[in-house]
PDB file of all heavy atoms in Angstrom:
ATOM      1  N   ILE L  31      15.871  30.754 -25.838  1.00 79.00           N
ATOM      2  CA  ILE L  31      15.954  32.199 -26.051  1.00 79.00           C
ATOM      3  C   ILE L  31      17.196  32.762 -25.382  1.00 79.00           C
ATOM      4  O   ILE L  31      17.926  33.587 -25.951  1.00 79.00           O
ATOM      5  CB  ILE L  31      14.679  32.877 -25.517  1.00 79.00           C
ATOM      6  CG1 ILE L  31      13.467  32.468 -26.354  1.00 79.00           C
ATOM      7  CG2 ILE L  31      14.835  34.397 -25.527  1.00 79.00           C
ATOM      8  CD1 ILE L  31      12.163  33.044 -25.868  1.00 79.00           C
ATOM      9  N   LEU L 206      -0.436  46.823 -10.605  1.00 91.00           N
ATOM     10  CA  LEU L 206       0.633  45.980 -11.174  1.00 91.00           C
ATOM     11  C   LEU L 206       0.074  44.959 -12.163  1.00 91.00           C
ATOM     12  O   LEU L 206       0.661  44.713 -13.221  1.00 91.00           O
ATOM     13  CB  LEU L 206       1.371  45.259 -10.046  1.00 91.00           C
ATOM     14  CG  LEU L 206       2.507  46.019  -9.373  1.00 91.00           C
ATOM     15  CD1 LEU L 206       3.052  45.239  -8.184  1.00 91.00           C
ATOM     16  CD2 LEU L 206       3.628  46.293 -10.363  1.00 91.00           C
ATOM     17  N   PHE L 209      -0.811  46.753 -15.275  1.00 93.00           N
ATOM     18  CA  PHE L 209       0.405  47.117 -15.969  1.00 93.00           C
ATOM     19  C   PHE L 209       1.013  45.918 -16.708  1.00 93.00           C
ATOM     20  O   PHE L 209       1.477  46.058 -17.857  1.00 93.00           O
ATOM     21  CB  PHE L 209       1.435  47.663 -14.977  1.00 93.00           C
ATOM     22  CG  PHE L 209       2.688  48.194 -15.606  1.00 93.00           C
ATOM     23  CD1 PHE L 209       2.809  49.521 -15.964  1.00 93.00           C
ATOM     24  CD2 PHE L 209       3.779  47.357 -15.856  1.00 93.00           C
ATOM     25  CE1 PHE L 209       3.967  50.016 -16.562  1.00 93.00           C
ATOM     26  CE2 PHE L 209       4.935  47.824 -16.449  1.00 93.00           C
ATOM     27  CZ  PHE L 209       5.025  49.166 -16.797  1.00 93.00           C
ATOM     28  N   GLY L 333     -21.258  40.114 -57.656  1.00 62.00           N
ATOM     29  CA  GLY L 333     -22.289  41.129 -57.796  1.00 62.00           C
ATOM     30  C   GLY L 333     -21.982  42.342 -56.933  1.00 62.00           C
ATOM     31  O   GLY L 333     -20.860  42.529 -56.472  1.00 62.00           O
ATOM     32  N   SER L 350     -14.823  28.744 -49.003  1.00 49.00           N
ATOM     33  CA  SER L 350     -13.376  28.698 -48.812  1.00 49.00           C
ATOM     34  C   SER L 350     -12.638  29.690 -49.698  1.00 49.00           C
ATOM     35  O   SER L 350     -11.606  30.219 -49.330  1.00 49.00           O
ATOM     36  CB  SER L 350     -12.853  27.285 -49.094  1.00 49.00           C
ATOM     37  OG  SER L 350     -13.158  26.902 -50.444  1.00 49.00           O
ATOM     38  N   THR L 369      -8.413  20.052 -27.451  1.00 93.00           N
ATOM     39  CA  THR L 369      -7.140  19.449 -27.051  1.00 93.00           C
ATOM     40  C   THR L 369      -6.533  20.179 -25.870  1.00 93.00           C
ATOM     41  O   THR L 369      -5.994  19.567 -24.936  1.00 93.00           O
ATOM     42  CB  THR L 369      -6.146  19.468 -28.230  1.00 93.00           C
ATOM     43  OG1 THR L 369      -6.743  18.843 -29.364  1.00 93.00           O
ATOM     44  CG2 THR L 369      -4.848  18.754 -27.865  1.00 93.00           C
ATOM     45  N   GLN L 515      -4.867  27.363 -39.931  1.00 86.00           N
ATOM     46  CA  GLN L 515      -5.172  28.688 -39.409  1.00 86.00           C
ATOM     47  C   GLN L 515      -6.303  28.605 -38.389  1.00 86.00           C
ATOM     48  O   GLN L 515      -7.229  27.809 -38.519  1.00 86.00           O
ATOM     49  CB  GLN L 515      -5.585  29.618 -40.551  1.00 86.00           C
ATOM     50  CG  GLN L 515      -4.491  29.877 -41.559  1.00 86.00           C
ATOM     51  CD  GLN L 515      -3.371  30.715 -40.981  1.00 86.00           C
ATOM     52  OE1 GLN L 515      -3.618  31.687 -40.284  1.00 86.00           O
ATOM     53  NE2 GLN L 515      -2.141  30.329 -41.251  1.00 86.00           N
ATOM     54  N   ARG L 523      -5.915  38.407 -40.692  1.00 85.00           N
ATOM     55  CA  ARG L 523      -5.621  38.481 -42.124  1.00 85.00           C
ATOM     56  C   ARG L 523      -6.730  39.236 -42.862  1.00 85.00           C
ATOM     57  O   ARG L 523      -6.466  40.037 -43.769  1.00 85.00           O
ATOM     58  CB  ARG L 523      -5.461  37.072 -42.690  1.00 85.00           C
ATOM     59  CG  ARG L 523      -4.934  37.065 -44.120  1.00 85.00           C
ATOM     60  CD  ARG L 523      -4.562  35.690 -44.599  1.00 85.00           C
ATOM     61  NE  ARG L 523      -5.705  34.813 -44.727  1.00 85.00           N
ATOM     62  CZ  ARG L 523      -5.963  33.771 -43.933  1.00 85.00           C
ATOM     63  NH1 ARG L 523      -5.126  33.489 -42.943  1.00 85.00           N
ATOM     64  NH2 ARG L 523      -7.013  33.015 -44.108  1.00 85.00           N
TER      65      ARG L 523
END
Side-chain angles (χ1 to χ4, degrees):
I31 293 177
L206 274 174
F209 185 92
S350 60
T369 305
Q515 296 291 316
R523 190 170 66 250

